Amino acid sequence: MRETDFIGSFAKGLRVIEAFADSSPRLSIADVARVTGLDRATARRCLLTLSELGYADYDGKFFSLTPRILRLGHAYLSATPLPQIIQPFLDRLSEEVGQSASASVLDGAEVVYVARASQRRVMSINLMPGSRLPAYCASMGRVLLAALAGDEARQLIEASDRRAYTPFTRTEPDVLMDEIERVRRQGFAVIDQELELGLRSIAVPLSNARGKVVAALNIGAPAAQVTPETMAERYLPPLQTVARQLRPLLP
């Protein structure tokens, strides 16, 4: 892209929107400047513009996003056929195994949920389409990283904020790359309480008819119900069956 085609002010506005998160739903101008690296004057103009357009509320000190911001994410979910194609298969899979099942795509160093069928809440956060998790310690993230070239996967891992969510979380890039190589060879990933204590999950890639990995599919289960050794034995066959059924349908 030519430098003259890049709209810097638009990019700064998007950075401001991305500053809001589950852990920081209300932010001051100083907060946004700190999170985004923008100067306070620029952060203020971006926030006031969002407020004027109805994308943010302002109480005189703090800004918070309004439901209108969902139009931006809804545009993607409406434009891509993945949720509509995958959801019926997820519903049947979840009923069959008695556990929650999800599908996601890779967005930078994160996975974004595009469909979910929930049997019970197995995580402290409420996952739904649009939810994001770090790819390096999520089962779907690891199979999606394994679908990339090695150097590209390493770049995303090194760019991640690799914090330890539990005592079991792997954070060292070399260790993670070894695990991703193992996932690449075996065709699935098992996560044992790396993202949250008490949660185990298994994921497989979803490929289209041309063999391109376009998404990932997983099953999450309480650690008290299934051991790491039996995750693949119990859940890999139904996951692989759904992946084969979806293959000719995926774009």
Side-chain angles (χ1 to χ4, degrees):
M1 183 181 69
R2 295 176 302 177
E3 185 176 350
T4 54
D5 292 330
F6 187 82
I7 305 175
S9 57
F10 182 61
K12 291 172 183 176
L14 293 175
R15 285 164 63 187
V16 167
I17 292 173
E18 291 177 346
F20 293 88
D22 292 343
S23 58
S24 52
R26 299 173 70 245
L27 297 172
S28 67
I29 293 171
D31 293 331
V32 170
R34 174 178 49 80
V35 171
T36 62
L38 300 173
D39 61 72
R40 288 173 61 100
T42 300
R44 176 178 178 276
R45 288 196 300 272
C46 289
L47 287 165
L48 290 176
T49 299
L50 289 172
S51 178
E52 179 66 23
L53 294 175
Y55 288 103
D57 280 332
Y58 181 42
D59 64 7
K61 181 177 182 181
F62 293 102
F63 291 84
S64 58
L65 298 180
T66 69
R68 188 183 184 94
I69 205 75
L70 294 175
R71 292 185 180 185
L72 304 179
H74 182 71
Y76 167 75
L77 292 174
S78 299
T80 177
L82 283 176
Q84 291 80 12
I85 294 172
I86 294 174
Q87 190 64 55
F89 291 86
L90 274 187
D91 293 337
R92 290 194 293 270
L93 174 64
S94 180
E95 286 294 328
E96 176 188 346
V97 302
Q99 303 290 357
S100 298
S102 308
S104 71
V105 296
L106 190 66
D107 181 24
E110 297 178 312
V111 294
V112 181
Y113 280 64
V114 295
R116 180 165 170 82
S118 181
Q119 285 287 320
R120 57 182 65 84
R121 188 165 172 174
V122 295
M123 292 188 68
S124 61
I125 60 173
N126 187 25
L127 296 173
M128 63 189 72
S131 295
R132 290 173 172 267
L133 291 176
Y136 72 93
C137 61
S139 60
M140 289 188 288
R142 287 196 181 156
V143 297
L144 291 169
L145 288 171
L148 303 176
D151 57 346
E152 187 177 359
R154 178 176 282 275
Q155 287 175 7
L156 290 176
I157 287 172
E158 291 179 345
S160 302
D161 177 19
R162 299 182 309 279
R163 66 187 182 93
Y165 288 87
T166 78
F168 303 103
T169 310
R170 305 176 192 186
T171 59
E172 291 298 321
D174 288 342
V175 173
L176 288 167
M177 287 303 299
D178 288 344
E179 177 61 18
I180 287 169
E181 178 56 34
R182 188 165 74 90
V183 170
R184 188 180 290 118
R185 291 195 307 268
Q186 68 186 16
F188 66 93
V190 173
I191 292 290
D192 181 14
Q193 304 184 85
E194 290 192 52
L195 189 61
E196 184 165 312
L197 289 174
L199 172 69
R200 294 188 174 114
S201 65
I202 181 171
V204 298
L206 291 178
S207 302
N208 60 22
R210 300 183 300 279
K212 178 183 178 182
V213 174
V214 297
L217 176 71
N218 92 334
I219 290 172
Q225 293 184 6
V226 59
T227 65
E229 295 75 23
T230 57
M231 283 291 291
E233 177 184 343
R234 183 178 299 185
Y235 300 124
L236 184 58
L239 282 168
Q240 291 174 328
T241 296
V242 173
R244 285 195 299 269
Q245 292 171 340
L246 283 168
R247 188 180 181 94
L249 305 177
L250 297 175

